[in-house]
């Protein structure tokens, strides 16, 4: 029996064909802008899909005969899938140009702002480890997501050092707390898109006297157990982006956005808001899932205006949650940061943003603008 007629080779070829078709399907589906969680969820594991495409490409090169027409079809298809996934994730590696400049080492302390963002997981009771992390980092601002009344009782131990606070304890996995060493003025807690899903907004004052507009978010994810569609999450991100665009004050937006850094929705948020992502050119800093090393992606974010440069960005050690905490140190340096460039919006971006907001009957007008004059 010749090589081409061996049944095990034919079976192997069929398996490679099926694997290639599956890879092509999961690569193409996110191009469809349908908000269903099955479609949007395929944006999350792009790193895994890129690894799968690379392994499949190697298998095709080694196991398929180069003189077969099948090889000339499968190899380019798999290669294209690999390149498409890399297009989204490479900006979040050191191979890419940094979007945010490194801060000068001699930057004045009164211009620095450090923020610790952490989804603590409502059912997690390892508060001691988490509070130790906070004490070690000594952030200017602590933002917690999924913090209920029990967590509030533990976090209140921080108030002697962080006397300015916003508290919204909830039992639905959307509680939120902010504790700050720096004054928080014009602070408010809003439910921008969904009842039971809060966001927090304020203007904080640095030791230098400069005022910074801050927004803390935790929109609901698209999932079979919560929202079957991403429409609500996308709408909240869009209206906040439209609200902060062109703000005369420096801006910081942070939280668990339940969206990966490389998704089209996060790209749209960056384009419309004009905010920068300090991850670009530095790394992924995957914050979820803390317990599964091979199933991790960046869900917790901090974006800022070009008024800031970056002193440090760190993913902190585990503390019992399914998320890692993210610690970011910024420096207010408008002159140094003036030529920093992020994603430029297109007319299509603006049209899509308007469409997303209109579908949920929400608008940027409902987002507080702390620190800015009211019309």
């Amino acid at each position: 029996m010749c090589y081409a007629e061996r049944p095990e080779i034919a079976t192997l070829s069929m398996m490679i064909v099926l694997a290639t078709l599956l890879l092509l399907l999961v690569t193409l589906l996110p191009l469809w802008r349908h908000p269903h969680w099955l479609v949007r969820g395929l944006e999350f594991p792009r790193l895994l899909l890129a690894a799968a495409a690379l392994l499949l490409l190697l298998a095709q090169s080694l196991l398929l005969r180069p003189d077969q027409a099948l090889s000339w079809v499968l190899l380019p298809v798999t290669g294209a899938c690999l390149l498409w996934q890399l297009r989204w994730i490479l900006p979040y590696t050191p191979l890419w140009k940094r979007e945010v400049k490194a801060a000068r080492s001699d930057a004045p302390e009164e211009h620095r702002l450090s923020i610790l963002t952490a989804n603590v997981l409502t059912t997690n009771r390892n508060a001691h480890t988490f509070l130790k992390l906070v004490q070690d980092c000594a952030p200017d601002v602590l933002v917690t997501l999924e913090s209920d009344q029990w967590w509030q009782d533990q976090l209140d131990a921080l108030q002697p050092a962080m006397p300015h606070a916003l508290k919204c304890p909830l039992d639905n996995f959307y509680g939120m707390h902010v504790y700050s060493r720096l004054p928080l003025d014009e602070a408010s807690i809003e439910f921008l898109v969904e009842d039971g899903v809060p966001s927090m907004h304020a203007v904080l004052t640095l030791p230098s006297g400069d005022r910074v507009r801050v927004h803390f978010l935790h929109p609901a994810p698209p999932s079979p157990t919560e929202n079957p569609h991403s429409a609500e999450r996308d709408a909240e991100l869009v209206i906040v982006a439209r609200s902060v665009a062109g703000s005369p004050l420096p801006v910081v937006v942070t939280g668990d956005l339940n969206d990966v850094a490389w998704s089209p929705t996060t790209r749209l948020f960056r384009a419309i808001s004009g905010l920068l992502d300090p991850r670009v050119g530095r790394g992924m800093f995957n914050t979820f899932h803390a317990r599964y090393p091979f199933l991790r992606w960046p869900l917790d974010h901090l974006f800022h205006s070009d008024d800031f440069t970056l002193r440090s960005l760190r993913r902190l050690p585990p503390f019992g949650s399914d998320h890692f905490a993210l610690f970011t140190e910024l420096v207010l340096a408008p002159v140094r940061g003036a030529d920093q460039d992020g994603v430029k919006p297109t007319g299509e971006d603006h049209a899509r943003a308007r469409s997303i907001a209109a579908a949920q009957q929400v608008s940027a007008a409902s987002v507080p603008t702390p620190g800015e004059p009211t019309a």
Side-chain angles (χ1 to χ4, degrees), residues 32-48:
W32 183 29
R33 288 182 175 172
H34 197 284
H36 195 276
W37 69 270
L38 277 173
V39 178
R40 299 276 63 88
L42 291 173
E43 294 163 353
F44 287 55
R46 290 194 185 277
L47 182 60
L48 287 177

Side-chain angles (χ1 to χ4, degrees), residues 178-236:
V178 172
Y179 293 83
S180 175
R181 300 177 191 275
L182 305 174
L184 296 173
D185 298 313
E186 300 178 43
S188 64
I189 299 172
E190 308 291 337
F191 297 83
L192 296 175
V193 178
E194 295 184 84
D195 294 337
V197 180
S199 57
M200 293 180 173
H201 316 265
V203 58
L204 65 79
T205 304
L206 298 179
S208 63
D210 294 287
R211 285 151 63 85
V212 179
R213 181 175 161 183
V214 290
H215 299 266
F216 311 107
L217 310 178
H218 185 205
S223 77
T225 57
E226 297 186 60
N227 288 351
H229 295 87
S230 68
E232 295 86 356
R233 178 203 67 187
D234 298 350
E236 182 166 333

Side-chain angles (χ1 to χ4, degrees), residues 104-361:
R104 296 189 184 279
S105 58
D106 59 351
E109 288 193 16
E110 60 268 23
H111 290 161
R112 297 177 185 177
L113 172 62
S114 59
I115 300 178
L116 196 160
T117 305
N119 183 320
V120 297
L121 181 63
T122 300
T123 56
N124 174 26
R125 292 296 180 253
N126 197 8
H128 174 76
T129 302
F130 179 69
L131 292 174
K132 181 68 166 55
L133 276 181
V134 176
Q135 290 165 358
D136 290 346
C137 292
D140 296 315
V141 180
L142 168 67
V143 186
T144 65
L145 302 316
E146 290 198 27
S147 37
D148 58 5
Q149 184 61 53
W150 184 90
W151 270 100
Q152 178 175 305
D153 294 340
Q154 316 310 308
L155 294 169
D156 279 348
L158 299 169
Q159 284 217 244
M162 310 180 85
H164 310 281
L166 283 166
K167 304 177 183 181
C168 185
L170 296 173
D171 296 325
N172 63 353
F173 290 84
Y174 290 98
M176 181 182 294
H177 291 76
V178 172
Y179 293 83
S180 175
R181 300 177 191 275
L182 305 174
L184 296 173
D185 298 313
E186 300 178 43
S188 64
I189 299 172
E190 308 291 337
F191 297 83
L192 296 175
V193 178
E194 295 184 84
D195 294 337
V197 180
S199 57
M200 293 180 173
H201 316 265
V203 58
L204 65 79
T205 304
L206 298 179
S208 63
D210 294 287
R211 285 151 63 85
V212 179
R213 181 175 161 183
V214 290
H215 299 266
F216 311 107
L217 310 178
H218 185 205
S223 77
T225 57
E226 297 186 60
N227 288 351
H229 295 87
S230 68
E232 295 86 356
R233 178 203 67 187
D234 298 350
E236 182 166 333
L237 297 181
V238 159
I239 62 174
V240 171
R242 296 179 72 187
S243 174
V244 303
S247 171
L249 290 180
V251 175
V252 171
V253 176
T254 187
D256 172 4
L257 303 191
N258 277 312
D259 196 18
V260 284
W262 47 69
S263 83
T265 308
T266 297
R267 183 208 164 276
L268 180 65
F269 172 86
R270 293 169 56 210
I272 298 298
S273 68
L275 301 184
L276 307 178
D277 186 348
R279 278 186 167 113
V280 173
R282 287 184 168 88
M284 298 178 186
F285 298 90
N286 296 330
T287 57
F288 177 91
H289 195 291
R291 297 173 192 153
Y292 306 122
F294 298 105
L295 287 173
R296 285 183 182 164
W297 35 74
L299 286 192
D300 302 272
H301 305 264
L302 185 142
F303 303 102
H304 59 80
S305 57
D306 62 8
D307 305 278
F308 294 98
T309 54
L310 184 71
R311 188 161 183 258
S312 72
L313 178 63
R314 287 187 285 147
R315 189 184 73 182
L316 300 181
F319 58 93
S321 174
D322 51 355
H323 287 244
F324 295 98
L326 191 68
F327 182 61
T328 312
E329 294 180 283
L330 304 174
V331 173
L332 185 65
V335 174
R336 177 168 169 74
D339 60 347
Q340 297 176 129
D341 286 324
V343 180
K344 300 297 183 184
T346 64
E348 183 183 358
D349 289 332
H350 286 293
R352 185 173 168 225
R354 288 193 296 269
S355 174
I356 289 171
Q360 293 298 307
Q361 300 181 334

Side-chain angles (χ1 to χ4, degrees), residues 83-103:
L83 291 175
W84 180 250
Q85 301 297 350
L86 290 176
R87 173 187 180 274
W88 288 97
I89 61 179
L90 276 180
Y92 299 92
T93 71
L95 299 175
W96 210 259
K97 179 184 176 182
R98 291 180 175 182
E99 189 166 283
V100 177
K101 292 180 180 179

